[in-house]
Amino acid sequence: CVNDTATTEIYTLSLHAALPIYEVSDETYVEPVGSLSLRDALVAALMGSPNLAAIGYEVRAREAEILQAGFNPNPIVAVEWENFGGSGELETTLALSQLVELGGKRTKRMRIAQFESAIAGWDYEIRRIDVLTKTATDYIGLLASKRRHRIATEILDRKSVV
C-alpha cells in the first residue's frame, strides 16, 4: 500500500513537470500522426480541450481581479449648471469627491479576490485531472481492445491452420 502511494505521487509529479498548467494559447495544436503514446494522448487532450481553455481564461481573470481589488476607488467628478437657458446668470458647480475606505475594506476585498482566484485555480486543476483521467482510461481501454483483437486474430489463424 505504501508503494502504491509513492508511485502515485511520483507519477503525479512527473505529469505536472511534463504537461502544461494554466496555459492558454492561441496557437493551433497539431495533432500527432502515426502511433500515439500515452503522453502524446494526454498532451493532445489538454491542448484540445475547449473547457480547459475557457477555465484558463477564468483563472487569469481572477488573477487580474486581485490586482484591481488593490486599487483605491476612483474619484468622482460632477458638474452642475444652474439657470441654463433661463433668466439670470449661469452658475457652474464642479464637485470632486474621493471615497475613503475605512475598516480594512481594501484588504478584505483583496483577500476575497485571492480566495476566488484560488477557487478558480482548483476548479481548473479538477477539470484538468478529469481530462487526464478520462484520456488515460480511454487510452488503456484502447490498448486492451487492441490486445484482445490481436489474441482473437491469433486464435483464428491457428484454427485455420489446423
Side-chain angles (χ1 to χ4, degrees):
C1 190
V2 174
N3 283 342
D4 292 339
T5 305
T7 304
T8 302
E9 289 177 16
I10 290 169
Y11 180 69
T12 303
L13 290 174
S14 67
L15 274 180
H16 285 286
L19 300 173
I21 299 174
Y22 297 140
E23 287 190 14
V24 180
S25 174
D26 293 333
E27 297 175 18
T28 53
Y29 175 71
V30 179
E31 293 191 22
V33 179
S35 64
L36 184 68
S37 69
L38 176 58
R39 184 180 189 288
D40 291 340
L42 293 173
V43 169
L46 290 176
M47 298 299 287
S49 174
N51 290 336
L52 284 181
I55 292 173
Y57 286 119
E58 179 69 23
V59 168
R60 287 184 176 179
R62 297 294 179 187
E63 289 170 352
E65 286 177 4
I66 294 171
L67 296 174
Q68 184 66 35
F71 295 138
N72 286 320
N74 288 331
I76 299 171
V77 177
V79 178
E80 290 184 24
W81 288 284
E82 293 182 22
N83 294 332
F84 184 75
S87 62
E89 191 174 311
L90 176 65
E91 295 179 24
T92 305
T93 305
L94 176 64
L96 177 64
S97 63
Q98 174 69 50
L99 178 65
V100 178
E101 295 180 311
L102 301 174
K105 288 184 181 177
R106 183 173 12 152
T107 304
K108 291 175 185 173
R109 189 173 57 241
M110 287 177 62
R111 287 191 45 101
I112 289 171
Q114 289 168 345
F115 287 134
E116 288 176 347
S117 178
I119 290 169
W122 283 112
D123 188 35
Y124 179 91
E125 282 301 314
I126 288 167
R127 293 193 189 193
R128 181 176 174 269
I129 290 169
D130 286 345
V131 167
L132 292 172
T133 302
K134 182 174 178 353
T135 304
T137 302
D138 291 348
Y139 185 86
I140 291 168
L142 177 64
L143 291 178
S145 294
K146 285 176 68 175
R147 175 84 172 163
R148 284 191 299 272
H149 179 266
R150 191 174 72 212
I151 291 170
T153 304
E154 288 174 6
I155 290 171
L156 286 174
D157 287 346
R158 288 181 186 167
K159 286 185 178 181
S160 66
V161 171
V162 174

